[in-house]
Every structure is written in structure tokens, then in C-alpha cells.
Amino acid sequence: MNNKLKWLLAVVLFSFLGWYFLLKQSDYTITFKVNAATGTISQGIMEWTTTRSKKQNEMYIILEKRNFDFIKQQMKKGNEKMEYTWNMKSINDSMTNVTIGIKDLNHSFYNRLTAPFIATKFRTEQIEKIKYFKMGLEDHIDDFKIRIDGEKSSEEIYVAYISLKSVLQEKAQTMLEYDPKIIGYLDKNKIKIIGYRPYLEITDWDEDKEIVSFNYCFPIPKNTKYLPDSNVKFKTIPALKGLQATYFGNYRTSDRAWFALLDYAKKHDYTLENKPIEHFLANPFNGGNELEWETKIIIPFASK
């Protein structure tokens, strides 16, 4: 072997070792695929870490969050300090690849020497931990179904509505909380509700803080006469063109269809205005199989 080749190999080797021990962001990486949108997985991560904080005394801090496809967290438990870097990449209209980079801030050098090659305590514990996350996520995915319907148009509707605000995970609970207020007003004033199938109109969606402002709406006849009210208002929701999905499942998690539409739009070069409209076609108070509760969801195309 000539000297030039030896020097080249030495440079490549030292460059790799420098990257591996000094620049590489994680000690160990776990990858899996799951049949869910990136946003559904992102929500699952947040809910999972909240549960672990309560049950395992693990305290999680978000260091960085980007859209629904990247989360970097720091976890502390006693003297233990870890970093988890989650990357979610949509593969197709239904499948997402999840990569988790794990770094032990107290024993990073040792873990890099050992974890990729032998079943250390660190590696075994992390694999088990992510395994339970994946199992919980798959159980959740079994609780609903989503069908992408493609380009559609909604109908113009005249509604009575009440404006509300909540964290994304509690929008259905917030609707139920205010249901007696709007229904009570309509009943009291003998205003007919058409079909008793309410709408939810998102007016603002703060994706970073996961907070939504929305109108909880009931369709009524357009010529309705009404008395002014401090909470209940009236308006026309115009017909809109956008991407539509049909969601089957509990209304608490209907936003899973939003995430599916966003991933679909990204894959197929659509630009959407992130203000979904949901039309609930089943009454949850009637009970029954939640997988038969149907919701039509449309996210309008962004204005050019």
C-alpha cells in the first residue's frame, strides 16, 4: 500500500471518528415505520411524554419543534439527563418513517463506543421505551379511520355560532362544554336547527402552541329572525374549494384527518390555508360504534 493511500485512509478514518464522537447528535438511533400522518405522531409524542412525566417522574422540555415533523426534547429524571430527537418523514399518503436519535448527556462517549454493537443497559432500556411508545401509537391508530377524498367543494351554509378557543387536544371537550349555551339559545328562541349536524370552523390555528380558535356552528334557515345575544352570532360560511377527507372515529381526535390532509397536500404540491372546516354527521350522544361516527373535513386551498 503506497503512502498516499495510507494517508487518504487515515484522513477518512480520523474524519469519521471526529464526526462520530464530536459532531454526531445521538448515541443511538431507533427507526420504525407507522401508518399515520406526521402530525398524528407528533401529537402522540407530546401525549406520551406527558404520561411519562406523571407516571415515571420524567420531566420533558421541548428544545426545538418544527412543524409536525421534528421535535427535540430534553428529559431529566434524578441524575439522568437525556436528549430525544424525533424526525418524522412522510413516505406516502399513509405511511411515515420515524427516526429517534437518543443521547445520554452524562455517558455519551461510552454509549457511542458500546450501544451500536452490544446490548448494553442503555440500549436495552431505550429500545423497550420506544417499543411501548410505538405500541401505544398503533393502538390509538386503530381507534379511527381516514379516507382522503381529494379535491372537493363545500356548500354555502347559514349558521348560528359561538366563538371558542382551546388547546387542540380539547376542542371537542370545549364544544361539549358550550353546547348547552348555544342549543339553549336556539331552543328558547324557537330557531330550527337543520339536520342537527353541527360544523366546526377553524379561524386560527397556532401550530407551535397547538391552540385553535374556532366557531362552533349549527345550520339554520337563512331567513331566521333572532334577538341579539352576547355569545351567539349569525353568519354565512361561503362555499370553499379544498382538499377533503372523511374521518371515522371519536370527535376528540378528528384533527388526525387534518394532519393526513396536510401530509397529502405536501406530497402532491397543494398549498392549503390551515383553517379546516368539520361537518359532524353523527350524534355522539346516541352512542354506538365510534368507528361509524362520520365527519367530513375540508381544508381550503390558499388564496393566490
Side-chain angles (χ1 to χ4, degrees):
M1 186 181 295
N2 62 46
N3 287 335
K4 285 186 178 181
L5 184 57
K6 288 180 180 178
W7 277 108
L8 179 61
L9 290 175
V11 169
V12 171
L13 176 61
F14 281 110
S15 297
F16 172 77
L17 292 175
W19 167 79
Y20 187 77
F21 287 105
L22 300 176
L23 300 177
K24 188 172 180 285
Q25 295 297 305
S26 61
D27 303 335
Y28 189 68
T29 300
I30 299 173
T31 300
F32 63 86
K33 294 180 176 65
V34 65
N35 187 23
T38 55
T40 297
I41 300 165
S42 178
Q43 286 287 306
I45 293 167
M46 304 310 295
E47 292 170 9
W48 176 71
T49 53
T50 298
T51 300
R52 292 204 58 100
S53 295
K54 293 177 180 178
K55 294 185 177 181
Q56 305 294 333
N57 294 319
E58 296 178 350
M59 303 307 297
Y60 288 85
I61 301 171
I62 295 178
L63 302 177
E64 186 178 352
K65 188 173 183 289
R66 184 176 62 242
N67 300 324
F68 298 111
D69 54 17
F70 179 87
I71 299 174
K72 186 174 184 179
Q73 304 168 307
Q74 185 179 98
M75 187 280 291
K76 292 182 181 179
K77 181 180 180 181
N79 295 324
E80 186 181 5
K81 187 185 289 186
M82 311 282 289
E83 278 186 1
Y84 293 89
T85 303
W86 304 76
N87 280 281
M88 285 72 71
K89 185 176 181 181
S90 178
I91 300 171
N92 54 43
D93 293 342
S94 60
M95 190 69 65
T96 298
N97 188 76
V98 184
T99 302
I100 310 104
I102 306 167
K103 183 177 182 178
D104 183 340
L105 297 177
N106 294 327
H107 308 98
S108 181
F109 188 84
Y110 174 76
N111 288 328
R112 291 180 191 221
L113 280 175
T114 57
F117 313 107
I118 58 176
T120 61
K121 181 174 181 288
F122 163 79
R123 188 175 96 173
T124 302
E125 287 179 349
Q126 298 309 310
I127 289 175
E128 194 71 9
K129 188 174 185 177
I130 300 303
K131 174 185 172 184
Y132 278 108
F133 165 75
K134 182 173 181 284
M135 289 171 58
L137 180 62
E138 289 174 338
D139 286 344
H140 170 60
I141 293 166
D142 288 339
D143 290 337
F144 61 85
K145 294 186 293 186
I146 298 168
R147 184 184 70 225
I148 302 294
D149 301 323
E151 294 187 32
K152 297 288 182 180
S153 295
S154 64
E155 296 181 355
E156 179 181 288
I157 48 168
Y158 187 69
V159 298
Y161 69 97
I162 187 167
S163 295
L164 303 170
K165 186 175 184 178
S166 76
V167 296
L168 185 57
Q169 298 90 338
E170 295 177 2
K171 63 180 176 61
Q173 179 181 330
T174 304
M175 287 163 54
L176 288 175
E177 181 181 342
Y178 282 86
D179 195 73
K181 182 163 292 197
I182 186 169
I183 294 297
Y185 172 87
L186 296 175
D187 284 347
K188 180 181 177 181
N189 290 278
K190 296 182 172 55
I191 297 174
K192 179 184 178 183
I193 299 173
I194 300 173
Y196 212 93
R197 294 177 174 179
Y199 287 78
L200 182 147
E201 178 193 30
I202 299 296
T203 55
D204 185 70
W205 180 6
D206 187 325
E207 296 177 14
D208 291 329
K209 295 180 180 179
E210 298 187 353
I211 294 175
V212 288
S213 299
F214 59 93
N215 295 327
Y216 181 35
C217 316
F218 283 86
I220 62 173
K222 196 165 187 177
N223 59 355
T224 297
K225 294 181 180 179
Y226 55 86
L227 295 174
D229 185 81
S230 58
N231 294 304
V232 181
K233 308 298 180 184
F234 300 81
K235 72 171 192 172
T236 297
I237 300 177
L240 298 168
K241 291 183 178 180
L243 286 181
Q244 180 179 288
T246 303
Y247 171 84
F248 299 93
N250 193 294
Y251 297 156
R252 291 194 308 269
T253 52
S254 59
D255 51 57
R256 290 2 181 191
W258 306 4
F259 302 136
L261 285 170
L262 293 180
D263 279 0
Y264 183 91
K266 191 174 181 180
K267 281 295 223 180
H268 296 273
D269 296 323
Y270 290 103
T271 303
L272 302 179
E273 186 175 5
N274 288 0
K275 295 182 178 180
I277 293 179
E278 301 188 328
H279 187 195
F280 306 107
L281 302 180
N283 188 342
F285 294 109
N286 293 335
N289 181 1
E290 292 183 358
L291 282 173
E292 295 178 357
W293 297 2
E294 183 178 354
T295 306
K296 293 291 184 184
I297 296 167
I298 190 166
I299 304 183
F301 297 129
S303 302
K304 294 183 180 180

